[in-house]
Amino acid sequence: MSTPSQTVDLETYVPHVDHTYDPRDPEVALYVDDVSVRFGGVQAVSSATVAALAGQVTGLIGPNGAGKTTTFNVITGLESPTNGKVWLDNNDVSSLPPYKRARRGLARTFQRLEVFGTLTARDNILAAAEFRRSWAHDHSDPRQVADELIERVGLGHVQHERVDMLPTGLARLVELGRGLATRPKVLLLDEPGSGLDTAESEALGDLLIELAQEGIAVLVVEHDVDLVMRVCNRIHVLDFGRIICVGYPKDVQADPAVQAAYLGAED
Amino acid sequence: MAAPALELKGITAGYGRIEVLHDVSLAVPAGTVYALLGPNGAGKTTTMLVASGYVRPTAGCVHVAGSHVNRVAPENLAKAGVCRIPEGRGIFPNLTVNENLRMFTYSSPFSTGEVQEKSYARFPRLGERRNQLAGTLSGGEQQMLAMSRALVADPGILLLDEISMGLAPKIVSELYELVGQLAQDGISILLVEQFARTALAVSDYAAVMTGGRIAMVGQPADVADFVNEAYLGGAA
Amino acid sequence: MTVEFIQLLVVGLVTGCVYALSATGLVVTYTTSGIFNFAHGAIGMLGAFTYWQLTVGWGWPAWVALPAVLLVLAPLFGGAVERVLVRPLHGASVDVTLVITLGLLLFLLGAANYIWDPATSRVLPELFKGGGTSIAGVNLSRQQILIVVMAIVVALALRTLFSKTRIGIAMRGVVDDPDLCAMSGASPARIQQLSWAIGAALASLAGILIAPKVGLSSLQLTLLVINGYAAALFGRLKSLPRTAVGGILLGILVEMYPVYISPHVPGFSDTAGELTKAVPMIFLGVLLLFLPSARLRTSTAAGRIAPTVPGLRQSLVGGVALVVVAVVLTGLLSSDNLGIATSVVVLAIALLSLVLLTGYSGQTSLCVLTFVGLGAWAMGHSGHSVLGLLWGALLAGAAGALVALATARLRGLYLALATFAFAKGMDEAFFYFHLGSGQQLEIKRFQLLGLDTQSPSTFFLLCALVLAVASVGVLAVRRGRWGRQLTALNDSPAACATLGVNTTITKVVVFTAAAAMAGFAGGLYGSSRGIVTNNDFAVLGSLALLLAVRVGGINTITGAIFGALTITMFPEIQKHVHGLPDKLQLAYLLTGLAAVSVGRDPDGLGGQFSKLGHYLRGLRTPPQSASGAPDFEEARLVHS
């Protein structure tokens, strides 16, 4: 495990990358391998390496515009990186289209909601369970899966409402349930806590820990610091598209480079 | 004491069903720099949009130099001297630097020549790239171009939204140098910033927003400690 | 190089200049306002007719009439269209802008035919009659020289506008950031209005220049200016120089085809060059194939009501009710009127395919009648056999699968353009060849289990039964697993892909199924009519049908029935209502008008009623604001 960096000077700062993991390590469920993304003249992500382990909640935090959502898009294949690879379950999936990555056990939620707005909450999750059944060819009963997940993410009271009528917080839970319906090995959550009140956010935290305990590798982007610090086993900090720190929550909080990234350089 | 350059009183606002700001009040005294700090999603940008007329508050009122401006269209607020530099480079990426400056002075009394002279004197690097498409400039140069709008519009109130976003610290301090100069010229400035230390260094007053509310208002020095906690959960 | 070749090259260059002028106007409007103006061709037609009215009709001299049309009337009209129709569309989806501009296209066609009776022949003289020079055996008329000069003048003028003037720079800037424009004191609405004025003027110029050559026919002129769309696409809808090159290439291709291409392709039967008219659409289709892949669309569900889907019981009751009404009608209607009623029912079956394809899964199709036509054609070649219906479904389904595979990467505007190109190409190639120029296909009624299908009432009942079964079936699909998948695909393709759905296969399957359904209906259509010609399957008919279904509500069965009813009944009403002039094209006029009025609501009249119901019951309606950015990418003008 890494020790947090002590370097502050961002001009000469060498990104501290967690080298202790290899994409082929069996416990590494997701490995973002030296990924860079350029849009026009803007370097959105540069040489980012992220490892998410099975059975753990991994945090990906950083200031606005640091490249977190872009990283998620690269992992799921919605955007192509200019450089670098994505590994799922020890296999290089960089050349696979999004749907094939999903079939290998990758699910995600979106920061800007991508719900099936004209369907009910339950039908959103049911549709995902049916998708899963159609490509996994297993004998799961989608209706049963949907009912269980509705219960689990706590949407029972609104399950028959159309999703575009729901408050954002609940719609995010629909996306979470939908992702879970595909029985992922790796779950990417893009700001799942925004729009939730304190109690709901606490319940979400419990759920994330529970999911990790079931063996899922959870990678979460979140701004609610309390939530992140509570549920994450390890945290990656992204700034200007670079990973500037990897470590345990306490270490990350104390890291001067992270403070500089959030608060600006000390004069 | 003269009326504040900009005052928000008990503002509640949001988008559709989602309420983002809850009872936000703040006052920017004339000729001062006021920093609005806080973590992502705290409602800072929405506050800016309310101040510049792009989002109508559902409750509360906006005063500019003592006049009630709740119902004034953004274009007219702009003409009245409220200039907002939006988050994420307020430039036209497919126009050249020269053409951008021409756009910025679309309805201003200055001639394009004067404006170019003024901007290029302040930012020589823009002058070197005057015929280049703005979208091909570096991030810092793009932000300089965006800031030129404040330079040429000669506004009464300047609203700056995260001018440091995605920029290297060196460029950020260069931009903040300009903010300081503009303040010395007597422009009242409300700035939204994530980099608290940088912003506090140039500001006269500061407020911290969390969850759509003003959590604290005070002198820059008092606010600094509070901010750490809001961002990183206290261990810092 | 022979003199003949150079002569053709010159003629092609001239034709190309006209295409380029038309396409330039389209691109200026699109890059500035973000709206692809499908009515561009109709505006050009209107300009040419107005010019004819002023000069030939009222005897104005050309030097007065030309500036009056190009500098006053056309810009005013374009500006008015922007103010009334386009400005309220701010932030609307491509789908909505499509309906509004297509509605305008139909409305203008209907209006022009009302004002200028198509039965009267009119000639628009060339601006300069006769004259001209001959260089080394190559003839150049004064009109041709004028066209080239006009094109050069317009190109230079636009170049100056976009690089030297403040308003021109603003026109380029407004696409990047309308809000920033407003902050700088330049009103985005004004700037976009100017772009519509310029677009209308250029369309009119193209119409006036080409009309002496092709004749003053509203339909021909509209479609001809539409050929400019291919040139615009060559410029990727944003580069003016590339658009000009595209126009000239297309012009040369069109003129060269009958002489140098069609006679020399071995085994190709078009020795007379009859397919010339299809060349622009083939050009357009090929360009679309080479477009870069669009990124997966993200969510656009905002504002849609998507009426409640009836349950099995409810839909069965509806189906039975439909059959009962049909039985009652057989007792009430004369055999002539039964024939009309049969047309309505058969067309409704075809339109159910649009409910499935466009309503549920969100794939725009402007070629529904092409599949109907293929079905009818297959039926006509199957003797008396009821199997002809299946052949029709198979043939249309296969064509649908090919179209879907070729367009799998496209969406929104480009998918609409591709299906339009397919429909128009088939119109001018296949149907014209097999059913056109006075030919017609006789289709005998099929025999089925000893039923007397010759009897109008029996055949009507049979079709009504098919419609009832198909409606119940489509609703069952919507409620089921596949329906959820289609709706999901419509709501968010990006989310579908990240949940393991192969969106390409889903699209191809739904396209194929819808085409097969339309083909099946085509067999019935052919049988009900007895005789069909190419006019039955013209591209404008497909447009009118899509709009009529949209007005009725494209995600409902009632929408399909409403669409079939209006499109079939308008001409009948016209015949019987005393005092309506028969030159009035009620179908086009009213459908166009209805489309521009309710087209803003993606749910059509059904949605309006549904909203009213929600309102009365005190329910909330979904938020109207679009959740994502307007769905058009990379529209920025390249002017040099």
Side-chain angles (χ1 to χ4, degrees):
Chain A
M1 192 59 65
S2 71
T3 50
S5 157
Q6 297 300 317
T7 325
V8 199
D9 185 4
L10 286 172
E11 293 292 292
T12 57
Y13 185 72
V14 181
H16 184 93
V17 178
D18 190 352
H19 286 297
T20 52
Y21 293 105
D22 183 274
R24 290 176 194 80
D25 285 345
E27 76 266 39
V28 174
L30 167 74
Y31 195 85
V32 178
D33 193 355
D34 197 26
V35 159
S36 300
V37 183
R38 267 190 99 78
F39 299 123
V42 184
Q43 187 82 38
V45 179
S46 40
S47 302
T49 297
V50 176
L53 309 190
Q56 288 199 1
V57 181
T58 307
L60 183 61
I61 65 171
N64 261 342
K68 296 165 302 213
T69 297
T70 308
T71 306
F72 269 21
N73 286 344
V74 168
I75 297 173
T76 45
L78 292 177
E79 250 161 57
S80 314
T82 18
N83 190 36
K85 287 177 180 168
V86 176
W87 299 72
L88 264 181
D89 242 3
N90 312 124
N91 293 310
D92 180 0
V93 296
S94 312
S95 58
L96 298 184
Y99 77 92
K100 285 194 176 160
R101 298 187 195 196
R103 292 179 185 191
R104 292 193 177 205
L106 178 66
R108 76 171 285 185
T109 66
F110 294 83
Q111 183 200 6
R112 276 177 59 166
L113 288 173
E114 288 291 338
V115 287
F116 304 138
T118 56
L119 296 179
T120 64
R122 183 173 183 276
D123 276 358
N124 265 264
I125 297 174
L126 177 59
E130 285 167 346
F131 297 163
R132 146 97 196 176
R133 204 179 111 133
S134 70
W135 46 258
H137 305 295
D138 59 7
H139 296 287
S140 58
D141 176 7
R143 284 171 198 281
Q144 199 188 329
V145 172
D147 290 336
E148 283 168 15
L149 283 172
I150 285 281
E151 205 52 46
R152 186 160 194 194
V153 296
L155 287 169
H157 58 301
V158 290
Q159 60 172 317
H160 296 301
E161 286 212 36
R162 265 175 59 148
V163 176
D164 53 11
M165 309 285 280
L166 296 180
T168 15
L170 293 181
R172 288 187 192 285
L173 294 182
V174 172
E175 285 202 355
L176 172 60
R178 206 175 57 178
L180 287 175
T182 66
R183 296 211 208 153
K185 292 174 189 155
V186 177
L187 181 62
L188 313 181
L189 303 175
D190 203 343
E191 301 201 18
S194 77
L196 297 182
D197 63 29
T198 324
E200 288 168 331
S201 160
E202 211 153 282
L204 173 72
D206 293 343
L207 178 60
L208 296 191
I209 293 171
E210 226 175 273
L211 291 172
Q213 281 167 354
E214 286 166 21
I216 299 178
V218 181
L219 181 62
V220 57
V221 163
E222 181 54 61
H223 283 121
D224 180 345
V225 183
D226 294 336
L227 178 64
V228 170
M229 294 300 165
R230 180 162 84 86
V231 303
C232 289
N233 300 84
R234 287 160 66 251
I235 293 175
H236 294 65
V237 184
L238 203 57
D239 188 31
F240 296 123
R242 294 180 308 170
I243 299 288
I244 58 163
C245 178
V246 185
Y248 296 119
K250 280 288 164 211
D251 301 336
V252 166
Q253 263 176 313
D255 188 309
V258 175
Q259 290 183 17
Y262 269 91
L263 307 171
E266 200 119 36
D267 289 315
Chain B
M1 194 178 137
L6 171 73
E7 189 171 15
L8 306 184
K9 283 183 179 169
I11 295 290
T12 299
Y15 309 94
R17 291 163 295 134
I18 307 155
E19 193 179 296
V20 180
L21 301 182
H22 321 281
D23 192 20
V24 168
S25 298
L26 61 84
V28 183
T32 64
V33 179
Y34 194 110
L36 192 55
L37 310 168
N40 276 334
K44 296 171 305 216
T45 295
T46 308
T47 307
M48 288 295 210
L49 289 172
V50 169
S52 54
Y54 280 86
V55 169
R56 296 224 177 281
T58 45
C61 43
V62 185
H63 287 209
V64 169
S67 326
H68 183 87
V69 294
N70 270 29
R71 302 205 161 275
V72 178
E75 296 92 274
N76 296 333
L77 267 184
K79 280 176 195 155
V82 179
C83 173
R84 180 169 66 96
I85 308 285
E87 182 183 338
R89 326 248 185 283
I91 57 157
F92 299 100
N94 289 291
L95 301 183
T96 65
V97 172
N98 261 340
E99 288 169 343
N100 263 279
L101 291 177
R102 216 166 159 189
M103 281 301 291
F104 293 162
T105 53
Y106 201 86
S107 54
S108 94
F110 301 111
S111 79
T112 314
E114 275 177 86
V115 162
Q116 287 172 357
E117 209 172 291
K118 203 168 168 188
S119 310
Y120 298 153
R122 183 65 190 78
F123 299 116
R125 273 154 81 189
L126 290 183
E128 290 162 24
R129 291 165 172 68
R130 61 182 71 193
N131 290 320
Q132 208 169 310
L133 288 185
T136 64
L137 299 178
S138 75
E141 288 160 353
Q142 292 188 14
Q143 193 65 63
M144 286 174 193
L145 182 56
M147 291 281 285
S148 303
R149 201 157 64 84
L151 215 55
V152 303
D154 194 18
I157 305 160
L158 182 59
L159 308 173
L160 295 174
D161 198 349
E162 301 242 13
I163 53 172
S164 66
M165 164 128 64
L167 297 181
K170 202 170 158 191
I171 296 164
V172 173
S173 50
E174 206 173 314
L175 289 170
Y176 270 95
E177 223 170 90
L178 175 64
V179 171
Q181 283 177 17
L182 290 171
Q184 274 171 15
D185 294 348
I187 299 175
S188 317
I189 299 173
L190 174 63
L191 58 90
V192 155
E193 190 51 84
Q194 257 207 348
F195 293 153
R197 285 175 193 157
T198 320
L200 289 174
V202 299
S203 50
D204 304 303
Y205 301 94
V208 181
M209 277 189 96
T210 52
R213 293 172 204 280
I214 301 277
M216 183 193 182
V217 186
Q219 301 293 316
D222 306 333
V223 170
D225 294 333
F226 187 82
V227 170
N228 260 353
E229 207 158 316
Y231 283 5
L232 287 170
Chain C
M1 266 196 288
T2 63
V3 171
E4 190 198 9
F5 181 83
I6 297 172
Q7 180 73 60
L8 270 178
L9 205 60
V10 168
V11 174
L13 178 77
V14 173
T15 309
C17 282
V18 178
Y19 289 150
L21 281 170
S22 152
T24 301
L26 188 69
V27 171
V28 167
T29 309
Y30 179 69
T31 49
T32 311
S33 69
I35 288 173
F36 187 91
N37 181 14
F38 263 96
H40 193 68
I43 293 176
M45 173 273 295
L46 197 65
F49 271 90
T50 309
Y51 178 72
W52 177 89
Q53 186 65 49
L54 295 182
T55 51
V56 181
W58 296 340
W60 293 22
W63 62 270
V64 179
L66 195 64
V69 172
L70 295 183
L71 302 179
V72 181
L73 297 175
L76 278 180
F77 183 75
V81 167
E82 191 280 338
R83 181 68 196 89
V84 177
L85 294 183
V86 177
R87 204 173 294 177
L89 291 183
H90 184 71
S93 68
V94 171
D95 173 54
V96 171
T97 64
L98 206 72
V99 168
I100 300 287
T101 56
L102 283 175
L104 181 63
L105 166 79
L106 280 192
F107 178 77
L108 292 181
L109 257 181
N113 285 345
Y114 175 63
I115 303 170
W116 296 284
D117 187 350
T120 319
S121 86
R122 294 178 187 80
V123 179
L124 187 68
E126 297 185 335
L127 286 165
F128 292 109
K129 280 196 200 78
T133 59
S134 175
I135 305 163
V138 177
N139 294 316
L140 265 177
S141 74
R142 287 166 78 174
Q143 172 88 357
Q144 286 174 325
I145 296 170
L146 176 84
I147 289 177
V148 176
V149 170
M150 285 272 203
I152 293 170
V153 168
V154 166
L156 291 178
L158 286 178
R159 210 190 136 86
T160 311
L161 174 74
F162 287 124
S163 59
K164 300 278 186 253
T165 69
R166 188 170 278 194
I167 184 90
I169 292 169
M171 285 175 79
R172 283 162 55 214
V174 71
V175 173
D176 283 340
D177 197 334
D179 286 343
L180 189 59
C181 251
M183 280 184 232
S184 313
S187 154
R190 287 275 155 182
I191 297 167
Q192 287 166 355
Q193 193 167 33
L194 177 66
S195 80
W196 279 78
I198 293 176
L202 289 177
S204 300
L205 177 60
I208 292 170
L209 291 177
I210 199 89
K213 188 175 170 184
V214 300
L216 210 57
S217 142
S218 59
L219 189 62
Q220 287 309 316
L221 268 178
T222 301
L223 292 177
L224 206 79
V225 180
I226 282 178
N227 287 346
Y229 296 1
L233 210 70
F234 189 82
R236 293 269 164 85
L237 298 181
K238 59 184 173 185
S239 161
L240 291 184
R242 280 187 58 133
T243 298
V245 171
I248 288 165
L249 277 181
L250 179 62
I252 292 172
L253 200 62
V254 167
E255 301 295 345
M256 293 278 178
Y257 171 81
V259 181
Y260 287 102
I261 301 173
S262 70
H264 302 295
V265 182
F268 190 56
S269 58
D270 183 34
T271 43
E274 285 189 301
L275 289 182
T276 307
K277 278 173 148 185
V279 169
M281 287 304 119
I282 295 168
F283 188 76
L284 179 59
V286 171
L287 287 176
L288 283 165
L289 289 184
F290 287 100
L291 270 185
S293 217
R295 274 182 53 183
L296 281 168
R297 179 170 60 83
T298 48
S299 182
T300 54
R304 268 193 290 145
I305 292 264
T308 330
V309 185
L312 180 63
R313 237 183 97 140
Q314 211 183 339
S315 52
L316 280 177
V317 169
V320 170
L322 198 125
V323 175
V324 170
V325 170
V327 171
V328 173
L329 282 179
T330 50
L332 295 177
L333 296 179
S334 69
S335 71
D336 272 1
N337 286 340
L338 266 181
I340 297 165
T342 310
S343 296
V344 173
V345 169
V346 170
L347 210 49
I349 301 171
L351 295 186
L352 281 180
S353 75
L354 279 183
V355 172
L356 188 68
L357 181 63
T358 312
Y360 294 167
S361 79
Q363 313 289 312
T364 308
S365 159
L366 301 181
C367 57
V368 61
L369 276 184
T370 310
F371 297 126
V372 172
L374 284 172
W377 187 77
M379 189 74 208
H381 290 86
S382 308
H384 302 282
S385 171
V386 72
L387 282 178
L389 291 175
L390 294 183
W391 291 129
L394 272 178
L395 180 66
L402 285 178
V403 173
L405 280 172
T407 60
R409 301 167 316 116
L410 306 177
R411 61 182 170 84
L413 171 63
Y414 293 115
L415 180 62
L417 275 172
T419 53
F420 179 82
F422 173 69
K424 190 158 178 274
M426 285 293 283
D427 198 357
E428 273 151 3
F430 185 83
F431 292 122
Y432 180 79
F433 248 168
H434 293 283
L435 308 171
S437 53
Q439 303 173 65
Q440 53 188 31
L441 180 65
E442 208 176 318
I443 302 174
K444 296 200 178 103
R445 292 269 162 93
F446 51 83
Q447 289 162 343
L448 183 65
L449 304 171
L451 280 177
D452 177 22
T453 51
Q454 297 298 333
S455 142
S457 56
T458 312
F459 192 73
F460 172 65
L461 280 178
L462 188 68
C463 291
L465 195 65
V466 173
L467 175 61
V469 171
S471 303
V472 173
V474 165
L475 285 174
V477 163
R478 170 63 184 81
R479 285 191 312 269
R481 201 170 68 104
W482 198 45
R484 263 190 297 281
Q485 185 166 351
L486 295 183
T487 312
L489 184 72
N490 193 1
D491 284 353
S492 171
C496 278
T498 59
L499 292 167
V501 176
N502 183 340
T503 49
T504 306
I505 290 190
T506 312
K507 276 188 202 171
V508 171
V509 170
V510 66
F511 220 104
T512 308
M517 199 165 159
F520 187 88
L524 288 176
Y525 179 82
S527 305
S528 78
R529 300 293 289 258
I531 287 168
V532 293
T533 70
N534 63 332
N535 289 332
D536 291 322
F537 313 117
V539 61
L540 281 175
S542 288
L543 301 188
L545 283 172
L546 175 70
L547 293 184
V549 184
R550 254 304 290 260
V551 169
I554 195 147
N555 40 23
T556 59
I557 304 296
T558 38
I561 295 174
F562 174 90
L565 201 62
T566 48
I567 293 294
T568 317
M569 293 311 286
F570 278 144
E572 301 303 326
I573 293 171
Q574 208 167 323
K575 272 185 222 157
H576 293 100
V577 175
H578 187 68
L580 274 185
D582 57 347
K583 61 182 178 174
L584 182 69
Q585 280 188 319
L586 217 48
Y588 283 0
L589 264 178
L590 291 186
T591 310
L593 197 63
V596 299
S597 335
V598 305
R600 234 164 284 159
D601 183 348
D603 292 322
L605 284 177
Q608 301 282 347
F609 284 128
S610 194
K611 262 180 206 156
L612 185 69
H614 277 244
Y615 174 75
L616 292 177
R617 279 177 281 148
L619 293 175
R620 290 170 296 167
T621 52
Q624 277 294 319
S625 65
S627 63
D631 192 15
F632 90 102
E633 324 167 63
E634 298 242 327
R636 52 196 53 126
L637 188 75
V638 180
H639 67 295
S640 58

